[in-house]
């Protein structure tokens, strides 16, 4: 059976959203989800129609991804991928993905990227694992971390003040490989919008700012969840993100997080694998780490992707790329690195 694969129109928006909700197990579009779609314009959607009914969905965010060395590259942020259970194994996802990647390639995006709901799906479309993260569970009663210097203080702020401070701190220090750009709409609808039904019994988002001599140098977003066990405090702090300009701010924020009375259990679900606190802790066995894949990347322009990043060693290398889905990256490329920078050109040499 042939399916109509195309972007949605304005009058199909509600059906598209409801199809996504059903695809992820929801009954209908929940209150507040409209804010999610503020970052997903119609031109960046793909839907599969069977006799006028939406049976498959896909979308993309307009991101810039920081690559090693601090340069930010355009990246099509692949998202909301669903296929109705009655229409599985019919090639619908393949055709939606083909249109998605062709559009991104024509637009000039050198990368597409996603966080995979199921890791077995995306390799056949040319995506590969680019980054892992650690989930950290810290028993703060048995772990001592070094404090920040006296000139760095941590202040708690309310949501309105946080919204004026945090985006600027993030933008100034969005230099770690794998970090994504955020628009004003993203901050408003994905970071500061905080309805109660998103909290799973925990508090509203809390915000704390690290400051040095009046300058905002870092922040943490987190939630708290009260718990008592035989009159003993077992409350939990769930970290959303920690960002800091330097080690002073990072240490001050972690010292704050591990010294909140009644909340000895500190969890961060998305910590970088090179987070230094594991080596700084007095008792690292009280910090449990679970590794998980996070960012998956699909290279659409090999030369642009490899030239943008920095390198630690100088050398010349011929790479052969086989691209069985779309052929966007296929070819042989000469990568030549000098003084940390690279040129990448098509080459007829043997790999």
């Amino acid at each position: 059976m042939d399916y109509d694969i195309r972007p949605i129109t304005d009058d199909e928006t509600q059906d598209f959203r409801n199809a996504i909700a059903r695809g992820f197990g929801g009954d209908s579009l929940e209150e507040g989800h409209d804010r999610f779609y503020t970052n997903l314009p119609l031109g960046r959607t793909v839907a599969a129609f069977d006799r006028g009914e939406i049976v498959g969905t896909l979308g993309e965010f307009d991101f810039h991804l920081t690559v090693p060395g601090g340069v930010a590259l355009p990246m099509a942020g692949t998202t909301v991928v669903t296929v109705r259970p009655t229409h599985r194994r019919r090639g619908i996802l393949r055709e939606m993905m083909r249109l998605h990647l062709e559009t991104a390639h024509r637009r000039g995006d050198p990368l597409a990227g996603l966080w995979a709901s199921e890791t077995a799906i995306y390799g056949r479309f040319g995506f590969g694992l680019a980054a892992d993260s650690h989930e950290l569970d810290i028993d703060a009663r048995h772990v001592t971390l070094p404090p920040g210097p006296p000139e760095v203080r941590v202040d708690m702020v309310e949501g309105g003040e946080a919204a004026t401070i945090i985006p600027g701190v993030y933008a100034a220090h969005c230099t770690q490989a794998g970090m994504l750009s955020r628009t004003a709409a993203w901050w408003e609808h994905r970071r500061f919008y905080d309805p109660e039904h998103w909290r799973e019994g925990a508090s509203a988002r809390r915000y704390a700012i690290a400051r040095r001599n009046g300058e905002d140098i870092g922040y943490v977003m987190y939630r708290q969840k009260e718990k008592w066990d035989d009159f003993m405090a077992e409350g939990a702090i769930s970290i959303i993100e920690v960002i800091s300009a330097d080690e002073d701010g990072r240490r001050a924020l972690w010292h704050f997080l591990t010294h909140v009375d009644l909340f000895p259990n500190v969890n961060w679900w998305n910590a970088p694998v090179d987070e230094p606190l594991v080596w700084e802790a007095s008792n690292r066995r009280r910090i449990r780490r679970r590794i998980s894949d996070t960012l998956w990347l699909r290279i659409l322009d090999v030369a642009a992707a490899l030239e943008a990043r920095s390198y630690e060693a100088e050398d010349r290398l011929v790479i052969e790329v086989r691209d069985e889905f779309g052929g966007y990256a296929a070819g042989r490329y000469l990568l030549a690195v000098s003084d940390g920078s690279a040129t990448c050109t098509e080459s007829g040499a043997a790999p």
Side-chain angles (χ1 to χ4, degrees), residues 95-173:
E95 293 310 308
M96 291 195 301
M97 189 65 71
R98 190 182 308 279
L99 177 57
H100 163 54
L101 295 179
E102 285 177 355
T103 302
H105 184 254
R106 287 198 305 268
R107 189 171 54 237
D109 291 350
L111 305 170
L114 55 81
W115 281 35
S117 55
E118 293 184 85
T119 58
I121 294 175
Y122 293 99
R124 66 181 185 267
F125 305 124
F127 288 85
L129 179 60
D132 285 322
S133 73
H134 278 160
E135 182 176 0
L136 301 179
D137 285 312
I138 304 171
D139 185 343
R141 290 164 294 200
H142 301 282
V143 173
T144 300
L145 297 172
E151 63 269 23
V152 177
R153 58 178 290 171
V154 176
D155 295 324
M156 294 191 67
V157 299
E158 297 301 320
E161 184 179 0
T164 67
I165 295 171
I166 287 176
V169 176
Y170 181 91
H173 306 296

Side-chain angles (χ1 to χ4, degrees), residues 3-4 15 19 22 47-56 84 87:
Y3 300 98
D4 186 16
D15 290 341
R22 289 194 299 269
F49 294 82
D50 182 3
R51 291 166 290 188
E53 192 172 7
I54 295 177
V55 297
R84 185 176 292 186
H87 288 68

Side-chain angles (χ1 to χ4, degrees), residues 149 151-153 210-217 245-246 248-249:
E151 63 269 23
V152 177
R153 58 178 290 171
R211 291 172 166 146
R212 179 173 52 219
N213 301 325
E215 178 187 4
D216 300 322
I217 62 170
D246 55 30
D248 290 349

Side-chain angles (χ1 to χ4, degrees), residues 186-251:
W186 191 273
W187 281 108
E188 178 182 356
H189 302 298
R190 298 298 302 273
R191 276 296 182 256
F192 294 119
Y193 180 63
D194 188 25
E196 186 172 353
H197 61 267
W198 286 3
R199 301 174 188 171
E200 298 183 343
S203 71
R205 287 178 179 168
R206 314 288 196 214
Y207 308 97
I209 309 296
R211 291 172 166 146
R212 179 173 52 219
N213 301 325
E215 178 187 4
D216 300 322
I217 62 170
Y219 68 87
V220 60
M221 296 183 181
Y222 64 97
R223 298 188 191 278
Q224 292 172 268
K225 192 168 187 178
E226 182 183 12
K227 183 180 178 182
W228 297 87
D229 185 2
D230 292 332
F231 300 101
M232 299 294 292
E234 290 288 346
I237 287 177
S238 297
I239 297 169
I240 299 166
E241 64 186 18
V242 182
I243 299 291
S244 179
D246 55 30
E247 291 300 291
D248 290 349
R250 184 188 63 79
R251 286 175 173 167

Side-chain angles (χ1 to χ4, degrees), residues 268-287:
W268 190 10
W269 69 277
N270 186 29
V273 293
D274 58 353
E275 167 57 53
L277 74 85
V278 177
W279 288 271
E280 297 174 331
S282 61
N283 186 353
R284 65 183 295 157
R285 290 188 179 180
R286 293 290 184 164
I287 301 176

Side-chain angles (χ1 to χ4, degrees), residues 295-331:
L295 179 67
W296 290 63
L297 288 180
R298 206 299 184 188
I299 306 299
L300 297 170
D301 185 331
V302 173
L306 295 185
E307 288 182 347
R309 57 159 296 163
S310 63
Y311 297 83
E312 293 184 356
E314 295 189 4
D315 212 330
R316 293 164 63 86
L317 182 67
V318 175
I319 306 168
E320 181 173 355
V321 180
R322 298 175 185 173
D323 187 346
E324 297 177 357
F325 187 79
Y328 314 107

